[in-house]
Every structure is written in C-alpha cells, then in structure tokens.
C-alpha cells in the first residue's frame, strides 16, 4: 500500500473534511503526477463530473475544454442571478401595487367617515337643542325633588332616633339579661354549696347520736324526721344560705323578665325560697326547712367508663436523631401515620423567590409524590380562605388533603386542634418550624419535623 502525499496526511482521520482540505488536495494532485494517476484510475467521469475528470486525466487540450466548462458555469450562474433579480423586481412591484390599492381603500374609507361625521354633527346639533329643552324641564323636577328629599331626610332623622332608642333599649335588656344569668349562676352555686353543708351537718349529727356505728348511714328524707330533731348551728346556717340563694335566683329571673319583656306582663314566675317550718336549733339558729327528697348523686365512678389514653410520640430507631433525614424517612413510613404540614411555613422555606400561588402548587405536587411513595395520610393547611388572589382549590383527595383556615383563624391553630382530634392510636407527625406549633403539638404527643427535614424528604 502506497503512502498518501505528505500534504494530505493531517486529514486522513477526519470524519468531515474542512474547506482547507480541498486546497491541500488540489496542491497534492498538481505536485504528484503518480498520485493523480492513481486517483484517476479509481474514479470515473460520472462520479466526479467532466471538469473533475479532465483535471485528473489531463488529456490533450484539457485546459481549453476545462476553461470552456468554467465559462459555461459562470454564464449559468449569471442567468440564474438575472432570473432572481427579475423575480425580486416583480415581487417588489406587486407589493407596491398592493400598497397603492390599500392606500386608495383607506382614502375611500376616510371620505366615507368624513361624510358620516358631517351627518353626525348635524344630528348632534339637533340633540343639543333637544337636551337644552330637557334641562329646563329637569331643573323644575329637581326643585320639586329637593323639597321631597328634605322631607325624606327629616323623616329619616326621626327614624334613626327611633332606631337608636330601640337599640339602647335592646342593649339595656341584654345587659339586664346577662346580669340576671350571672346572678342565677351564683345563686345555683350558693344553693349547691348550702345543700352540701346540710349533708355534712346531717352526717355530723348522726355521728354524734351513735358514735359506735361504723357503717355509713343510708339516705333519709329530712322531711320525715321528727320536729324535735335538729342538725345544729351548721345545718341552720346552710339552710339560711340556701334560702338567700333561692331568693336571689328569683330576683334575677324577675329582673331578666322585666328587661326582656319590657313590662310587668310576661315576667317569669318567682321561685319560692325553702320553708323554715322546722324546730330552732341551739344558739337561736333558724329552723330546719324542707330539703330535696331524692338521695344525693353518687360520686363513685361509673363502671365501664375509662379515661382515654393520651397520645404518645412514636419512638425512633436506635442511633437515629430527631432532626435527621433518617428520622423523617422512618416517621413517614409508620403504619397509619398522619402527616400535618404547616403549608406556608414549608413553602416559604422551600421556594422563597417564587410567587405565593406557585409555592403552594409546588408544595402540593411534592406532597402527592411523598404520599404515593410512603402511603402516608398527608394533610396540608394554609392560612386564609378569604385571600385576595385565587387560591389553590381545597381538596379532600385520597392522597393529599388541602385545606385553608377560616377567616380570622390561623393555620397554626387549625393544625394544633387537628392533632387533638386524630385518634390516639394513629401516629401524628407535624411538619413546621414555627415554635408555637411545635411546642403545642409536642405537648399533645405528636412527632415533629422541621420544614428543612420535610423538604429534604420531598426532594429524594
């Protein structure tokens, strides 16, 4: 195998030859007759064209024939250029004619518009004259309406005074009712305390009568006791307090009835104070009156009722720290876990430079992928259902539930309340860096993730 010319060796390994390779090839063919002869033996006239074959074979008179071919090619290129210039001129002429036609159409439209404007001006003048007549008529109507308005304003002033008086009366009635309810509550409390003291006094009197008795005395209706039995100074004082409380309750209900009913009619019935028809005790105490005949309610806990167990945070595996990525992955895969996400707290940390709507969308999309990957029940809460900009639509989807807090309620409060509403047997994970949300959720037995932990988990 014969070596290639020196000038062509730098281009032997090129997949695509640069333009300078053609110059080098021509120099090699001109300088090396043997190389040119080998190339001519390897190609045909059909492959390289008549001009290429003449350059390689170089028969007698090849230069004249090659010059004629070059001249013919130049003439062909000149004709093509002339045809292109003629086509360009025709296109420019057509465009100019189109512009002229459009200009004529615009001028015609302007003339038509001028005619319409002239007609409109005449109509406007007629309309102004008609409007002048209407103004005169309206001035007379305005004067009459002004008188009616003054009368209506005077009537409205009287109506406002009546409304203010009614509101004042209603406010007074509400205040009276609130006072009556407070007094009634105090009276009920004092009555309960008095009855408790009566029970204690009865127990003390019974113990003094039979000191050797060890079993608790069964319930006895005090009204069935003989008149000579006295419960002592403590029982008399307790019944006196109960009587005073009952009278206070009756006075409070009467006051509320007068405030709400506006008069004596419709006042609630008075509650009678307990009777004091018993026998006076020692030291000149008030006599014993009738007390409730039903036995006191039992204070023993009801059978079968157990206090619900408080939620306990799920433990982490050994050597796994609370704020690590491994802890986040472990908690997200707990069976039955509910992940509560503080929406804006996480989105502001993850995409701080994006618009608020874009932050919400990207966070929810990432949470959907997390729910699909781990099977967790993911719920994200955002502040403000009454925001100005169109919010992300709240959903109750199977994978991620999106919700917005009610007006005047922060999403922090919604999340903390939701921790307490979820059954204690289900683990709860709260994702937030807000201190109040974390402290209150931890106090309710929830596991915690910081916003950065959740974002690392979402971007895995």
């Amino acid at each position: 195998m014969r070596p290639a010319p020196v000038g062509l060796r730098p281009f032997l390994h090129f997949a695509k030859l640069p333009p300078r390779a053609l110059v080098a090839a021509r120099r090699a063919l001109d300088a090396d007759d043997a190389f040119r002869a080998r190339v001519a033996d390897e190609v045909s006239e059909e492959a390289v064209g008549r001009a290429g074959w003449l350059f390689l074979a170089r028969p007698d008179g090849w230069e004249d024939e090659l010059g004629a071919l070059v001249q013919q090619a130049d003439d062909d290129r000149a004709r093509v250029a002339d045809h292109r210039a003629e086509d360009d001129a025709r296109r420019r002429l057509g465009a100019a004619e189109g512009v002229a036609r459009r200009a004529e159409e615009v001028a015609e439209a302007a003339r038509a518009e001028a005619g319409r404007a002239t007609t409109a001006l005449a109509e406007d003048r007629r309309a102004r004259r008609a409007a002048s007549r209407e103004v005169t008529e309206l001035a007379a109507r305005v004067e009459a309406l002004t008188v009616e308005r003054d009368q209506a304003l005077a009537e409205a002033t009287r109506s406002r005074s009546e409304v203010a008086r009614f509101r004042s009366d209603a406010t007074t009635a509400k205040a009276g009712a609130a006072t009556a309810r407070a007094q009634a509550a105090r009276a009920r409390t004092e009555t309960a305390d008095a009855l408790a003291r009566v029970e204690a006094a009865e127990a003390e009197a019974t113990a003094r009568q039979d000191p050797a008795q060890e079993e608790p005395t069964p319930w006895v209706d005090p009204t069935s006791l003989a008149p000579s039995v006295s419960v002592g100074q403590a029982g008399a004082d307790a019944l006196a307090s109960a009587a005073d409380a009952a009278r206070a309750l009756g006075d409070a209900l009467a006051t509320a009835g007068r405030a709400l009913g506006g008069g004596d009619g419709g006042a609630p019935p008075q509650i009678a104070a307990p009777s004091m028809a018993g026998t006076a005790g020692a030291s000149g105490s008030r006599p014993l009156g009738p007390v409730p005949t039903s036995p006191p309610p039992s204070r023993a806990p009801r059978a079968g009722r157990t206090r619900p167990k408080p939620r306990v945070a799920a433990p982490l595996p050994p050597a796994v720290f609370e704020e690590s990525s491994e802890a986040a992955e472990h908690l997200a895969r707990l069976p039955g876990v509910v992940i509560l996400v503080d929406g804006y707290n996480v989105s502001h940390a993850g995409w701080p430079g994006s618009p608020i709507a874009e932050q919400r969308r990207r966070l929810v999309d990432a949470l959907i992928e997390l729910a699909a990957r781990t099977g967790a029940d993911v719920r994200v809460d955002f502040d403000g259902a009454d925001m100005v900009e169109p919010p992300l639509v709240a959903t109750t989807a199977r994978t991620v539930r999106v919700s917005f807090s009610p007006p005047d309620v922060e999403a922090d409060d919604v999340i903390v309340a939701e921790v307490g509403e979820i059954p204690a047997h289900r683990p709860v994970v709260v994702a937030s860096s807000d201190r109040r949300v974390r402290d209150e959720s931890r106090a309710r037995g929830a596991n915690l993730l910081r916003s950065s932990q959740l974002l690392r988990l979402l971007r895995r």
Side-chain angles (χ1 to χ4, degrees), residues 332-333 337 339 363-379 397-401 454 457-458:
R333 295 184 181 277
V337 67
I339 301 178
L363 174 60
V364 171
D365 290 346
L367 291 175
I368 291 174
E369 295 180 2
L370 174 65
R373 187 172 78 242
T374 63
D377 181 0
V378 183
R379 309 174 187 181
R398 182 172 60 87
T399 55
V400 175
R401 189 210 67 186
L454 179 62
L457 182 62
L458 295 178

Side-chain angles (χ1 to χ4, degrees), residues 199 202-207 210-220 296 298:
E199 294 175 7
E202 291 175 351
E204 181 181 359
T206 304
D210 189 2
Q213 185 178 359
E214 296 181 358
E215 296 297 326
T217 304
W219 171 258
V220 179
S298 174

Side-chain angles (χ1 to χ4, degrees), residues 66-112:
L66 182 61
L69 292 175
V70 171
Q71 182 63 38
Q72 182 179 359
D74 292 341
D75 293 342
D76 291 341
R77 283 194 296 272
R79 283 194 297 274
V80 170
D82 291 341
H83 285 307
R84 289 178 178 174
E86 184 178 356
D87 292 340
D88 291 341
R90 288 197 185 96
R91 285 195 296 272
R92 287 194 294 271
L93 178 61
E97 291 175 350
V99 170
R101 285 194 300 272
R102 288 193 293 272
E104 182 62 27
E105 292 172 357
V106 170
E108 183 64 26
R111 287 192 290 271

Side-chain angles (χ1 to χ4, degrees), residues 18 33 46 73 81 83 118 122 137 150 176 254 256 294 303 323 408 440:
D33 293 339
E46 289 79 6
H83 285 307
T118 302
E137 297 174 358
D150 294 340
S294 59
E323 299 193 4
D408 301 326
E440 297 188 13

Side-chain angles (χ1 to χ4, degrees), residues 219-224 290-296:
W219 171 258
V220 179
D221 185 357
T223 57
S224 63
V291 294
T293 57
S294 59

